[in-house]
Amino acid sequence: MKNCLVFGKNGLIGKTIVDSLKRSNHSVFSNPKIDWNNKELVPRQVEDSVAAFFESTIGKNWIIFWFAGKGGFSVPQEQFDFDEAIFQCFLDSVEKNMKHPGLVVLSSSA
């Protein structure tokens, strides 16, 4: 069994992965809902979710899935810039809080 954290779990890919993980008896971390529309709050919410996840996985196998972001053909540059900044915040948070190796999976439906 792996301990899993899924960002973007309400999107097309995320919902499918969460269902599959649960059917396979993996533990899916219940991080608080991230308010993606509040651009000032999101970095802190991502950081807090990552830190809390790693606190709960000490000595356990873990996987983090990143399916968040709104990038696509008709998205303004501002959204891409925001997505990039939040993804970098996520990576920095993983690096800061990770106690032992695991797996980070990145995918997008954009």
Side-chain angles (χ1 to χ4, degrees):
M1 179 171 85
K2 302 236 187 296
N3 293 290
C4 304
L5 171 60
V6 181
F7 286 95
K9 62 186 168 193
N10 292 317
L12 178 66
I13 298 171
K15 283 181 186 179
T16 303
I17 292 296
V18 167
D19 290 344
S20 179
L21 290 168
K22 288 180 177 179
R23 280 194 310 274
S24 299
N25 294 319
H26 293 294
S27 174
V28 178
F29 184 73
S30 295
N31 58 317
K33 183 169 175 52
I34 293 178
D35 184 1
W36 296 104
N37 293 320
N38 187 332
K39 294 185 179 192
E40 292 180 17
L41 267 181
V42 172
R44 174 65 184 243
Q45 291 174 326
V46 167
E47 290 169 358
D48 290 349
S49 291
V50 169
F53 174 71
F54 279 118
E55 282 298 313
S56 74
T57 61
I58 295 173
K60 300 175 184 173
N61 292 324
W62 61 268
I63 304 174
I64 301 176
F65 297 87
W66 183 269
F67 304 125
K70 295 183 179 180
F73 293 111
S74 61
V75 174
Q77 184 63 43
E78 179 184 327
Q79 182 64 51
F80 279 114
D81 294 344
F82 175 73
D83 288 352
E84 180 182 11
I86 295 306
F87 185 64
Q88 187 61 55
C89 171
F90 161 71
L91 292 175
D92 293 344
S93 298
V94 169
E95 182 178 23
K96 176 182 173 185
N97 292 284
M98 179 176 58
K99 308 291 189 248
H100 64 278
L103 181 65
V104 175
V105 176
L106 167 64
S107 185
S108 173
S109 60

